[in-house]
Amino acid sequence: MSKNKQEDIFQAAMELFGKRGYDGTTVPMIADKAKVGAGTIYRYFENKESLVNALFVKCVEQFFDAIRKDFPQNSEVRQQFNHIFRRMFVFAKDNSNALQFINSHDEGYYLNEKSNQTFQDFLGFFRNVIEEGIDQGVIRPLPTNAHIAIVYGAFGMLFSHIQSGRMEETPELLNELEESLWNAIRVN
Amino acid sequence: MSKNKQEDIFQAAMELFGKRGYDGTTVPMIADKAKVGAGTIYRYFENKESLVNALFVKCVEQFFDAIRKDFPQNSEVRQQFNHIFRRMFVFAKDNSNALQFINSHDEGYYLNEKSNQTFQDFLGFFRNVIEEGIDQGVIRPLPTNAHIAIVYGAFGMLFSHIQSGRMEETPELLNELEESLWNAIRVN
DNA sequence: TAAATAGGAATGAATATTCATTCCTGAAGA
DNA sequence: TCTTCAGGAATGAATATTCATTCCTATTTA
């Protein structure tokens, strides 16, 4: 029997929300998977919406921290890009449920102000790196959001293909993918 | 008063599913928006799941047709890429609801065999072009799914940014984006 | 033993689906 | 030409089910 029920609920909700979506997941489903009573969930969260928001913030912050940790603030932009790219895939491998949950919920109508802000802050980190790159003339002078969409959008679908087994993740492939995406945003 | 109720139902469902997801959309919501009685929906579709599947197949086929039409079968791969890229954005502009619906439902647990197959056939079209490009030595020799994920994944998030107004679509930007994505997949 | 925690059956609201009825349209009859 | 009528289409209230949330009891902890 687990000691930390809140964490059990988070894990169960993350998996179910990630696979079936927010509205496709019922509270009793979460309770079953977490091996707690349905009522117990309401001891830890005010309601289903609070749960999904708390979980979203938690997951995005984990992802954000994983990327920020040891970030080479004073290195070349190319090196910073390498850091971000690698950390994204490491996080994806270690926390595939979290990532699947984030990617399928970041536009949910049930997300509150804090959740949306947290996600914006996360993307803001990429924004800074890209703007720095544009200023230095190493990244193409396009709207920052365009570069973010290319890199993060591609990453999302790459992850989904790896996750589902339609593609195999190897160190060599990762090297190639990093170069592909860098080629997309760099000046020639 | 509209003449074609089935089409009214399709349109309403497409918008609502696209914005709120399958489980977040109720049948009465669809009926209201389509301006038909709730029961009428069941004269045209066996149930909610049949509706979402019929709609998914219809939308993907429309998207597929829009891209296949006038496809330059005998041109260079670079030219074929140009064709696909442009058609995707034209379709996105003219059918934003359809595209939003497709992109948010292509992994839904409620999709049946036919829906999944239709989507795979659609991606298969890209696959052929990319494989041809790899054979000719103009596209990098990576798994085809990797290239598809990069291009289609990036496209999906670019569309989402344009759609929501976070980015403005201009002819110049489109030219740049096409080049960015081609740079991602081409050999250097 | 008192207080806090957990459980899960009970509840009421919301939802998908059904169905008895009404509404239209166009043909038949006067 | 006007009226009647048949049958398919449409409706939305009614039903059966599912769901989020509550609440009372049992269990654990201090």
PDB file of all heavy atoms in Angstrom, chain A residues 158-187:
ATOM      1  N   LEU A 158       7.215  14.011 -33.180  1.00  0.00           N
ATOM      2  CA  LEU A 158       8.309  13.034 -33.103  1.00  0.00           C
ATOM      3  C   LEU A 158       8.120  12.173 -31.856  1.00  0.00           C
ATOM      4  O   LEU A 158       8.207  10.942 -31.904  1.00  0.00           O
ATOM      5  CB  LEU A 158       9.662  13.748 -33.043  1.00  0.00           C
ATOM      6  CG  LEU A 158      10.169  14.361 -34.354  1.00  0.00           C
ATOM      7  CD1 LEU A 158      11.335  15.305 -34.096  1.00  0.00           C
ATOM      8  CD2 LEU A 158      10.558  13.265 -35.356  1.00  0.00           C
ATOM      9  N   PHE A 159       7.856  12.831 -30.746  1.00  0.00           N
ATOM     10  CA  PHE A 159       7.635  12.110 -29.493  1.00  0.00           C
ATOM     11  C   PHE A 159       6.482  11.124 -29.643  1.00  0.00           C
ATOM     12  O   PHE A 159       6.588   9.956 -29.252  1.00  0.00           O
ATOM     13  CB  PHE A 159       7.336  13.102 -28.372  1.00  0.00           C
ATOM     14  CG  PHE A 159       6.704  12.470 -27.175  1.00  0.00           C
ATOM     15  CD1 PHE A 159       7.429  11.598 -26.366  1.00  0.00           C
ATOM     16  CD2 PHE A 159       5.382  12.715 -26.859  1.00  0.00           C
ATOM     17  CE1 PHE A 159       6.846  10.994 -25.269  1.00  0.00           C
ATOM     18  CE2 PHE A 159       4.789  12.119 -25.759  1.00  0.00           C
ATOM     19  CZ  PHE A 159       5.528  11.259 -24.968  1.00  0.00           C
ATOM     20  N   SER A 160       5.400  11.602 -30.257  1.00  0.00           N
ATOM     21  CA  SER A 160       4.231  10.746 -30.411  1.00  0.00           C
ATOM     22  C   SER A 160       4.547   9.505 -31.259  1.00  0.00           C
ATOM     23  O   SER A 160       4.062   8.403 -30.979  1.00  0.00           O
ATOM     24  CB  SER A 160       3.097  11.570 -31.005  1.00  0.00           C
ATOM     25  OG  SER A 160       2.226  10.781 -31.774  1.00  0.00           O
ATOM     26  N   HIS A 161       5.372   9.672 -32.290  1.00  0.00           N
ATOM     27  CA  HIS A 161       5.746   8.525 -33.113  1.00  0.00           C
ATOM     28  C   HIS A 161       6.643   7.550 -32.353  1.00  0.00           C
ATOM     29  O   HIS A 161       6.516   6.334 -32.501  1.00  0.00           O
ATOM     30  CB  HIS A 161       6.454   9.004 -34.388  1.00  0.00           C
ATOM     31  CG  HIS A 161       5.520   9.420 -35.471  1.00  0.00           C
ATOM     32  ND1 HIS A 161       5.898   9.592 -36.773  1.00  0.00           N
ATOM     33  CD2 HIS A 161       4.194   9.676 -35.456  1.00  0.00           C
ATOM     34  CE1 HIS A 161       4.854   9.955 -37.500  1.00  0.00           C
ATOM     35  NE2 HIS A 161       3.815  10.024 -36.724  1.00  0.00           N
ATOM     36  N   ILE A 162       7.544   8.092 -31.562  1.00  0.00           N
ATOM     37  CA  ILE A 162       8.434   7.222 -30.789  1.00  0.00           C
ATOM     38  C   ILE A 162       7.630   6.478 -29.733  1.00  0.00           C
ATOM     39  O   ILE A 162       7.716   5.261 -29.576  1.00  0.00           O
ATOM     40  CB  ILE A 162       9.559   8.054 -30.124  1.00  0.00           C
ATOM     41  CG1 ILE A 162      10.525   8.565 -31.198  1.00  0.00           C
ATOM     42  CG2 ILE A 162      10.297   7.223 -29.080  1.00  0.00           C
ATOM     43  CD1 ILE A 162      11.503   9.620 -30.705  1.00  0.00           C
ATOM     44  N   GLN A 163       6.838   7.239 -29.034  1.00  0.00           N
ATOM     45  CA  GLN A 163       5.965   6.739 -27.972  1.00  0.00           C
ATOM     46  C   GLN A 163       5.116   5.560 -28.432  1.00  0.00           C
ATOM     47  O   GLN A 163       4.946   4.580 -27.718  1.00  0.00           O
ATOM     48  CB  GLN A 163       5.066   7.920 -27.550  1.00  0.00           C
ATOM     49  CG  GLN A 163       3.914   7.588 -26.674  1.00  0.00           C
ATOM     50  CD  GLN A 163       4.390   7.397 -25.241  1.00  0.00           C
ATOM     51  OE1 GLN A 163       5.584   7.336 -24.968  1.00  0.00           O
ATOM     52  NE2 GLN A 163       3.438   7.290 -24.335  1.00  0.00           N
ATOM     53  N   SER A 164       4.579   5.662 -29.641  1.00  0.00           N
ATOM     54  CA  SER A 164       3.661   4.632 -30.132  1.00  0.00           C
ATOM     55  C   SER A 164       4.409   3.504 -30.833  1.00  0.00           C
ATOM     56  O   SER A 164       3.791   2.568 -31.337  1.00  0.00           O
ATOM     57  CB  SER A 164       2.682   5.249 -31.112  1.00  0.00           C
ATOM     58  OG  SER A 164       3.378   5.655 -32.280  1.00  0.00           O
ATOM     59  N   GLY A 165       5.717   3.601 -30.898  1.00  0.00           N
ATOM     60  CA  GLY A 165       6.487   2.529 -31.534  1.00  0.00           C
ATOM     61  C   GLY A 165       6.581   2.633 -33.044  1.00  0.00           C
ATOM     62  O   GLY A 165       7.152   1.760 -33.695  1.00  0.00           O
ATOM     63  N   ARG A 166       6.000   3.692 -33.636  1.00  0.00           N
ATOM     64  CA  ARG A 166       6.079   3.836 -35.086  1.00  0.00           C
ATOM     65  C   ARG A 166       7.479   4.250 -35.521  1.00  0.00           C
ATOM     66  O   ARG A 166       7.796   4.273 -36.713  1.00  0.00           O
ATOM     67  CB  ARG A 166       5.057   4.880 -35.571  1.00  0.00           C
ATOM     68  CG  ARG A 166       3.649   4.349 -35.642  1.00  0.00           C
ATOM     69  CD  ARG A 166       2.653   5.478 -35.821  1.00  0.00           C
ATOM     70  NE  ARG A 166       2.668   6.397 -34.667  1.00  0.00           N
ATOM     71  CZ  ARG A 166       1.744   7.304 -34.426  1.00  0.00           C
ATOM     72  NH1 ARG A 166       0.730   7.452 -35.233  1.00  0.00           N
ATOM     73  NH2 ARG A 166       1.813   8.093 -33.363  1.00  0.00           N
ATOM     74  N   MET A 167       8.325   4.610 -34.555  1.00  0.00           N
ATOM     75  CA  MET A 167       9.677   5.058 -34.869  1.00  0.00           C
ATOM     76  C   MET A 167      10.567   4.649 -33.711  1.00  0.00           C
ATOM     77  O   MET A 167      10.143   4.697 -32.556  1.00  0.00           O
ATOM     78  CB  MET A 167       9.682   6.587 -35.000  1.00  0.00           C
ATOM     79  CG  MET A 167      10.507   7.140 -36.116  1.00  0.00           C
ATOM     80  SD  MET A 167      10.177   8.897 -36.295  1.00  0.00           S
ATOM     81  CE  MET A 167      11.091   9.562 -34.929  1.00  0.00           C
ATOM     82  N   GLU A 168      11.782   4.264 -34.009  1.00  0.00           N
ATOM     83  CA  GLU A 168      12.661   3.844 -32.927  1.00  0.00           C
ATOM     84  C   GLU A 168      13.663   4.939 -32.593  1.00  0.00           C
ATOM     85  O   GLU A 168      14.330   5.482 -33.482  1.00  0.00           O
ATOM     86  CB  GLU A 168      13.405   2.556 -33.316  1.00  0.00           C
ATOM     87  CG  GLU A 168      13.885   1.782 -32.115  1.00  0.00           C
ATOM     88  CD  GLU A 168      15.024   0.855 -32.474  1.00  0.00           C
ATOM     89  OE1 GLU A 168      15.238   0.603 -33.679  1.00  0.00           O
ATOM     90  OE2 GLU A 168      15.713   0.401 -31.548  1.00  0.00           O
ATOM     91  N   GLU A 169      13.772   5.229 -31.315  1.00  0.00           N
ATOM     92  CA  GLU A 169      14.700   6.271 -30.885  1.00  0.00           C
ATOM     93  C   GLU A 169      16.080   5.680 -30.686  1.00  0.00           C
ATOM     94  O   GLU A 169      16.274   4.818 -29.842  1.00  0.00           O
ATOM     95  CB  GLU A 169      14.195   6.894 -29.581  1.00  0.00           C
ATOM     96  CG  GLU A 169      15.107   7.991 -29.073  1.00  0.00           C
ATOM     97  CD  GLU A 169      14.692   8.516 -27.714  1.00  0.00           C
ATOM     98  OE1 GLU A 169      13.484   8.619 -27.460  1.00  0.00           O
ATOM     99  OE2 GLU A 169      15.588   8.820 -26.906  1.00  0.00           O
ATOM    100  N   THR A 170      17.039   6.120 -31.482  1.00  0.00           N
ATOM    101  CA  THR A 170      18.431   5.693 -31.300  1.00  0.00           C
ATOM    102  C   THR A 170      19.282   6.952 -31.152  1.00  0.00           C
ATOM    103  O   THR A 170      18.873   8.029 -31.582  1.00  0.00           O
ATOM    104  CB  THR A 170      18.933   4.908 -32.529  1.00  0.00           C
ATOM    105  OG1 THR A 170      18.954   5.787 -33.666  1.00  0.00           O
ATOM    106  CG2 THR A 170      18.052   3.712 -32.835  1.00  0.00           C
ATOM    107  N   PRO A 171      20.445   6.824 -30.552  1.00  0.00           N
ATOM    108  CA  PRO A 171      21.325   7.999 -30.415  1.00  0.00           C
ATOM    109  C   PRO A 171      21.630   8.628 -31.773  1.00  0.00           C
ATOM    110  O   PRO A 171      21.662   9.859 -31.898  1.00  0.00           O
ATOM    111  CB  PRO A 171      22.589   7.417 -29.788  1.00  0.00           C
ATOM    112  CG  PRO A 171      22.135   6.200 -29.076  1.00  0.00           C
ATOM    113  CD  PRO A 171      21.009   5.641 -29.887  1.00  0.00           C
ATOM    114  N   GLU A 172      21.820   7.784 -32.787  1.00  0.00           N
ATOM    115  CA  GLU A 172      22.148   8.315 -34.118  1.00  0.00           C
ATOM    116  C   GLU A 172      20.971   9.135 -34.667  1.00  0.00           C
ATOM    117  O   GLU A 172      21.154  10.221 -35.208  1.00  0.00           O
ATOM    118  CB  GLU A 172      22.448   7.174 -35.106  1.00  0.00           C
ATOM    119  CG  GLU A 172      23.657   6.321 -34.723  1.00  0.00           C
ATOM    120  CD  GLU A 172      23.351   5.358 -33.592  1.00  0.00           C
ATOM    121  OE1 GLU A 172      22.237   4.779 -33.587  1.00  0.00           O
ATOM    122  OE2 GLU A 172      24.203   5.202 -32.679  1.00  0.00           O
ATOM    123  N   LEU A 173      19.758   8.569 -34.526  1.00  0.00           N
ATOM    124  CA  LEU A 173      18.587   9.291 -35.013  1.00  0.00           C
ATOM    125  C   LEU A 173      18.464  10.645 -34.317  1.00  0.00           C
ATOM    126  O   LEU A 173      18.193  11.669 -34.949  1.00  0.00           O
ATOM    127  CB  LEU A 173      17.315   8.465 -34.791  1.00  0.00           C
ATOM    128  CG  LEU A 173      16.023   9.163 -35.248  1.00  0.00           C
ATOM    129  CD1 LEU A 173      16.064   9.477 -36.734  1.00  0.00           C
ATOM    130  CD2 LEU A 173      14.795   8.312 -34.933  1.00  0.00           C
ATOM    131  N   LEU A 174      18.690  10.648 -33.004  1.00  0.00           N
ATOM    132  CA  LEU A 174      18.592  11.898 -32.254  1.00  0.00           C
ATOM    133  C   LEU A 174      19.576  12.938 -32.774  1.00  0.00           C
ATOM    134  O   LEU A 174      19.240  14.125 -32.902  1.00  0.00           O
ATOM    135  CB  LEU A 174      18.832  11.623 -30.767  1.00  0.00           C
ATOM    136  CG  LEU A 174      17.627  11.880 -29.862  1.00  0.00           C
ATOM    137  CD1 LEU A 174      16.362  11.305 -30.447  1.00  0.00           C
ATOM    138  CD2 LEU A 174      17.871  11.352 -28.478  1.00  0.00           C
ATOM    139  N   ASN A 175      20.783  12.502 -33.081  1.00  0.00           N
ATOM    140  CA  ASN A 175      21.764  13.425 -33.663  1.00  0.00           C
ATOM    141  C   ASN A 175      21.239  14.032 -34.958  1.00  0.00           C
ATOM    142  O   ASN A 175      21.346  15.231 -35.188  1.00  0.00           O
ATOM    143  CB  ASN A 175      23.075  12.692 -33.963  1.00  0.00           C
ATOM    144  CG  ASN A 175      23.835  12.348 -32.696  1.00  0.00           C
ATOM    145  OD1 ASN A 175      23.623  12.965 -31.647  1.00  0.00           O
ATOM    146  ND2 ASN A 175      24.713  11.365 -32.780  1.00  0.00           N
ATOM    147  N   GLU A 176      20.705  13.170 -35.790  1.00  0.00           N
ATOM    148  CA  GLU A 176      20.190  13.631 -37.088  1.00  0.00           C
ATOM    149  C   GLU A 176      19.019  14.590 -36.901  1.00  0.00           C
ATOM    150  O   GLU A 176      18.919  15.610 -37.585  1.00  0.00           O
ATOM    151  CB  GLU A 176      19.721  12.429 -37.927  1.00  0.00           C
ATOM    152  CG  GLU A 176      20.814  11.427 -38.261  1.00  0.00           C
ATOM    153  CD  GLU A 176      21.767  11.950 -39.324  1.00  0.00           C
ATOM    154  OE1 GLU A 176      21.405  12.902 -40.040  1.00  0.00           O
ATOM    155  OE2 GLU A 176      22.890  11.400 -39.428  1.00  0.00           O
ATOM    156  N   LEU A 177      18.129  14.242 -35.988  1.00  0.00           N
ATOM    157  CA  LEU A 177      16.958  15.091 -35.772  1.00  0.00           C
ATOM    158  C   LEU A 177      17.358  16.466 -35.243  1.00  0.00           C
ATOM    159  O   LEU A 177      16.803  17.483 -35.639  1.00  0.00           O
ATOM    160  CB  LEU A 177      15.992  14.421 -34.785  1.00  0.00           C
ATOM    161  CG  LEU A 177      15.292  13.170 -35.302  1.00  0.00           C
ATOM    162  CD1 LEU A 177      14.451  12.524 -34.211  1.00  0.00           C
ATOM    163  CD2 LEU A 177      14.426  13.492 -36.518  1.00  0.00           C
ATOM    164  N   GLU A 178      18.339  16.456 -34.361  1.00  0.00           N
ATOM    165  CA  GLU A 178      18.804  17.746 -33.845  1.00  0.00           C
ATOM    166  C   GLU A 178      19.310  18.610 -34.998  1.00  0.00           C
ATOM    167  O   GLU A 178      19.000  19.802 -35.072  1.00  0.00           O
ATOM    168  CB  GLU A 178      19.915  17.548 -32.816  1.00  0.00           C
ATOM    169  CG  GLU A 178      20.415  18.880 -32.279  1.00  0.00           C
ATOM    170  CD  GLU A 178      21.548  18.745 -31.272  1.00  0.00           C
ATOM    171  OE1 GLU A 178      21.729  17.646 -30.705  1.00  0.00           O
ATOM    172  OE2 GLU A 178      22.251  19.753 -31.057  1.00  0.00           O
ATOM    173  N   GLU A 179      20.049  17.991 -35.897  1.00  0.00           N
ATOM    174  CA  GLU A 179      20.576  18.759 -37.022  1.00  0.00           C
ATOM    175  C   GLU A 179      19.443  19.232 -37.932  1.00  0.00           C
ATOM    176  O   GLU A 179      19.436  20.372 -38.389  1.00  0.00           O
ATOM    177  CB  GLU A 179      21.578  17.906 -37.810  1.00  0.00           C
ATOM    178  CG  GLU A 179      22.523  18.751 -38.628  1.00  0.00           C
ATOM    179  CD  GLU A 179      23.549  17.903 -39.382  1.00  0.00           C
ATOM    180  OE1 GLU A 179      23.945  16.842 -38.837  1.00  0.00           O
ATOM    181  OE2 GLU A 179      23.905  18.284 -40.507  1.00  0.00           O
ATOM    182  N   SER A 180      18.471  18.348 -38.190  1.00  0.00           N
ATOM    183  CA  SER A 180      17.324  18.735 -39.022  1.00  0.00           C
ATOM    184  C   SER A 180      16.654  19.985 -38.474  1.00  0.00           C
ATOM    185  O   SER A 180      16.389  20.943 -39.208  1.00  0.00           O
ATOM    186  CB  SER A 180      16.293  17.603 -39.071  1.00  0.00           C
ATOM    187  OG  SER A 180      16.747  16.542 -39.873  1.00  0.00           O
ATOM    188  N   LEU A 181      16.372  19.961 -37.176  1.00  0.00           N
ATOM    189  CA  LEU A 181      15.622  21.084 -36.610  1.00  0.00           C
ATOM    190  C   LEU A 181      16.481  22.342 -36.509  1.00  0.00           C
ATOM    191  O   LEU A 181      15.979  23.455 -36.683  1.00  0.00           O
ATOM    192  CB  LEU A 181      15.030  20.686 -35.251  1.00  0.00           C
ATOM    193  CG  LEU A 181      13.897  19.660 -35.377  1.00  0.00           C
ATOM    194  CD1 LEU A 181      13.316  19.313 -34.014  1.00  0.00           C
ATOM    195  CD2 LEU A 181      12.791  20.181 -36.302  1.00  0.00           C
ATOM    196  N   TRP A 182      17.749  22.150 -36.264  1.00  0.00           N
ATOM    197  CA  TRP A 182      18.622  23.327 -36.260  1.00  0.00           C
ATOM    198  C   TRP A 182      18.687  23.925 -37.671  1.00  0.00           C
ATOM    199  O   TRP A 182      18.637  25.146 -37.838  1.00  0.00           O
ATOM    200  CB  TRP A 182      20.019  22.967 -35.750  1.00  0.00           C
ATOM    201  CG  TRP A 182      20.965  24.123 -35.827  1.00  0.00           C
ATOM    202  CD1 TRP A 182      22.011  24.280 -36.688  1.00  0.00           C
ATOM    203  CD2 TRP A 182      20.931  25.316 -35.029  1.00  0.00           C
ATOM    204  NE1 TRP A 182      22.637  25.491 -36.480  1.00  0.00           N
ATOM    205  CE2 TRP A 182      21.982  26.150 -35.464  1.00  0.00           C
ATOM    206  CE3 TRP A 182      20.107  25.773 -33.992  1.00  0.00           C
ATOM    207  CZ2 TRP A 182      22.240  27.405 -34.912  1.00  0.00           C
ATOM    208  CZ3 TRP A 182      20.371  27.022 -33.431  1.00  0.00           C
ATOM    209  CH2 TRP A 182      21.421  27.822 -33.900  1.00  0.00           C
ATOM    210  N   ASN A 183      18.762  23.068 -38.672  1.00  0.00           N
ATOM    211  CA  ASN A 183      18.762  23.556 -40.056  1.00  0.00           C
ATOM    212  C   ASN A 183      17.496  24.358 -40.371  1.00  0.00           C
ATOM    213  O   ASN A 183      17.529  25.266 -41.195  1.00  0.00           O
ATOM    214  CB  ASN A 183      18.854  22.386 -41.040  1.00  0.00           C
ATOM    215  CG  ASN A 183      20.261  21.830 -41.135  1.00  0.00           C
ATOM    216  OD1 ASN A 183      21.228  22.511 -40.767  1.00  0.00           O
ATOM    217  ND2 ASN A 183      20.385  20.598 -41.608  1.00  0.00           N
ATOM    218  N   ALA A 184      16.389  23.968 -39.725  1.00  0.00           N
ATOM    219  CA  ALA A 184      15.132  24.669 -39.996  1.00  0.00           C
ATOM    220  C   ALA A 184      15.170  26.112 -39.502  1.00  0.00           C
ATOM    221  O   ALA A 184      14.584  26.998 -40.123  1.00  0.00           O
ATOM    222  CB  ALA A 184      13.967  23.931 -39.342  1.00  0.00           C
ATOM    223  N   ILE A 185      15.840  26.348 -38.409  1.00  0.00           N
ATOM    224  CA  ILE A 185      15.772  27.693 -37.824  1.00  0.00           C
ATOM    225  C   ILE A 185      17.017  28.535 -38.058  1.00  0.00           C
ATOM    226  O   ILE A 185      16.978  29.759 -37.961  1.00  0.00           O
ATOM    227  CB  ILE A 185      15.468  27.633 -36.306  1.00  0.00           C
ATOM    228  CG1 ILE A 185      16.615  26.977 -35.525  1.00  0.00           C
ATOM    229  CG2 ILE A 185      14.174  26.888 -36.050  1.00  0.00           C
ATOM    230  CD1 ILE A 185      16.413  27.078 -34.009  1.00  0.00           C
ATOM    231  N   ARG A 186      18.131  27.924 -38.367  1.00  0.00           N
ATOM    232  CA  ARG A 186      19.385  28.680 -38.493  1.00  0.00           C
ATOM    233  C   ARG A 186      19.435  29.455 -39.809  1.00  0.00           C
ATOM    234  O   ARG A 186      18.723  29.148 -40.769  1.00  0.00           O
ATOM    235  CB  ARG A 186      20.575  27.728 -38.428  1.00  0.00           C
ATOM    236  CG  ARG A 186      20.789  26.916 -39.686  1.00  0.00           C
ATOM    237  CD  ARG A 186      22.184  26.293 -39.669  1.00  0.00           C
ATOM    238  NE  ARG A 186      22.806  26.414 -40.986  1.00  0.00           N
ATOM    239  CZ  ARG A 186      22.943  25.392 -41.825  1.00  0.00           C
ATOM    240  NH1 ARG A 186      22.512  24.187 -41.483  1.00  0.00           N
ATOM    241  NH2 ARG A 186      23.508  25.583 -42.987  1.00  0.00           N
ATOM    242  N   VAL A 187      20.285  30.482 -39.849  1.00  0.00           N
ATOM    243  CA  VAL A 187      20.509  31.172 -41.108  1.00  0.00           C
ATOM    244  C   VAL A 187      21.496  30.333 -41.910  1.00  0.00           C
ATOM    245  O   VAL A 187      22.293  29.586 -41.348  1.00  0.00           O
ATOM    246  CB  VAL A 187      21.091  32.597 -40.896  1.00  0.00           C
ATOM    247  CG1 VAL A 187      20.130  33.443 -40.110  1.00  0.00           C
ATOM    248  CG2 VAL A 187      22.441  32.539 -40.241  1.00  0.00           C
TER     249      VAL A 187
END
